[in-house]
Amino acid sequence: MKSIEEIRDMLGRLGKLKLGFYPTPFHRLDRISEEYGVELYVKREDFSGMTLFGGNKIRKLEYLLHDAIRQGCDTVVTYGATQSNHAMETATAARKCGLNPVLFLAAIVEPNAADIRANLLLDTILGAEINIIPANGQSTKQTMEESQDLIQGRIKELEAQGHKIYNIPTGGSLPLGACGFADAYVETMEQAAAMGLKPDYLFTATGSTGTLSGLCAGKALLGNDTKLVGIEVGPKPASYPEEVIALANEALRLMGADETVTADLFTVTDQYYGAGYEVPSPDANDDIRYLARTEGIFADPVYSGKSFHGMMEYIRNGRVPKGSTVIFLHTGGATALFSESGIVGDLSCRK
Ligand SMILES: Cc1ncc(COP(=O)(O)O)c(C=O)c1O
């Protein structure tokens, strides 16, 4: 167990850039709290900056791009779906640091070349090198695994031109990136304590694990008993909890901590992504409307809408008891509201 000062010291020794605007806001959701008899707060990682389209990747990128610059790299390669927030945020952060962004994007939902939207449009405005790979019904991970010849071929070409590459896997979920969310956990608990709160639950979307792993690392370091719940945003293998634990522990070792993350520190659920990743869920879309219409806050159909919906179901069905203090970690991603209709679903219908 470490004090906040000790944790900040350990994180500080890793070195990071200043890309986002921290601390991100933390505030009560008054109308939902009253309606459901809980104390519901939101941690606004959607306001992380450094653009209007911030989200949960900037904290990871502060550490990762610091490392890229330290290693003398001039080009950042990363991966995601064509509407990946991570890819777009990596491109913005790379541009700010004077690095070249190179993106490999799996077309889970086929973009329309005549009507480029949302994150893919932002990638284009940023002038990132965009390599679109057909997904043929596979996940981003599978698509990238099967396209290694193409990817490695392009990387070799760039290297032959004299570029030094910093390679960031999907979602920025490297141990160093996950440290950003140990930081976020401490920041959130500090804000809660300053308001006299003892949070019972913290809910987040979880995909490539970095966010949840980092939060788990932060929880292990602080030694508090807030229940961490990860709402999965797509199908995951049975080994997923072990992957979360492994990354969290690698992050802790990087920080030089002797604490350990174990399975009892968090739970994950696969109940709320509906039919798949980037497949709209009518139930989650109802809750996107509900959040907008009660609190004036936008969530997206791929990540934060599904995690908000999952959390609301926990509250509605009593798995979160009345009177609990609950934090919703809003991980951002609202650009997806302006993406292809195959991702947005029925959100544009009057309802
Ligand atoms: C908006 C948003 N929320 C949540 C996540 C999930 O975070 P992680 O990949 O760290 O599990 C992502 C990842 O891309 C995201 O873009």
Side-chain angles (χ1 to χ4, degrees), residues 50-214:
M50 41 177 262
T51 66
L52 259 184
F53 317 105
N56 66 329
K57 303 306 174 193
I58 295 297
R59 285 194 194 260
K60 302 179 182 182
L61 290 162
E62 290 195 334
Y63 289 90
L64 295 173
L65 294 196
H66 179 274
D67 190 40
I69 291 166
R70 196 181 50 76
Q71 291 187 27
C73 298
D74 67 350
T75 300
V76 181
V77 173
T78 199
Y79 314 86
T82 42
Q83 286 301 348
S84 164
N85 298 303
H86 161 71
M88 181 278 289
E89 288 172 67
T90 301
T92 62
R95 284 301 190 206
K96 180 171 165 64
C97 299
L99 304 170
N100 249 343
V102 175
L103 310 177
F104 291 94
L105 304 177
I108 308 278
V109 171
E110 198 61 47
N112 173 356
D115 184 20
I116 296 295
R117 286 166 171 260
N119 283 319
L120 191 55
L121 173 64
L122 299 177
D123 297 338
T124 308
I125 294 171
L126 286 159
E129 178 184 312
I130 300 170
N131 300 281
I132 296 182
I133 309 177
N136 303 321
Q138 305 201 93
S139 68
T140 303
K141 197 171 168 206
Q142 291 162 332
T143 306
M144 295 307 157
E145 276 165 10
E146 289 188 8
S147 309
Q148 277 307 303
D149 285 353
L150 182 150
I151 294 168
Q152 294 310 325
R154 179 63 188 135
I155 289 177
K156 283 210 177 77
E157 254 172 37
L158 288 163
E159 283 171 341
Q161 289 162 11
H163 295 292
K164 187 159 181 205
I165 310 288
Y166 192 78
N167 197 38
I168 302 181
T170 316
S173 289
L174 288 165
L176 189 59
C179 289
F181 274 89
D183 218 344
Y185 190 83
V186 172
E187 183 181 298
T188 309
M189 293 305 151
E190 202 176 26
Q191 287 170 311
M195 293 167 81
L197 305 171
K198 266 193 79 191
D200 299 302
Y201 293 87
L202 189 153
F203 285 83
T204 183
T206 184
S208 66
T209 76
T211 303
L212 182 58
S213 296

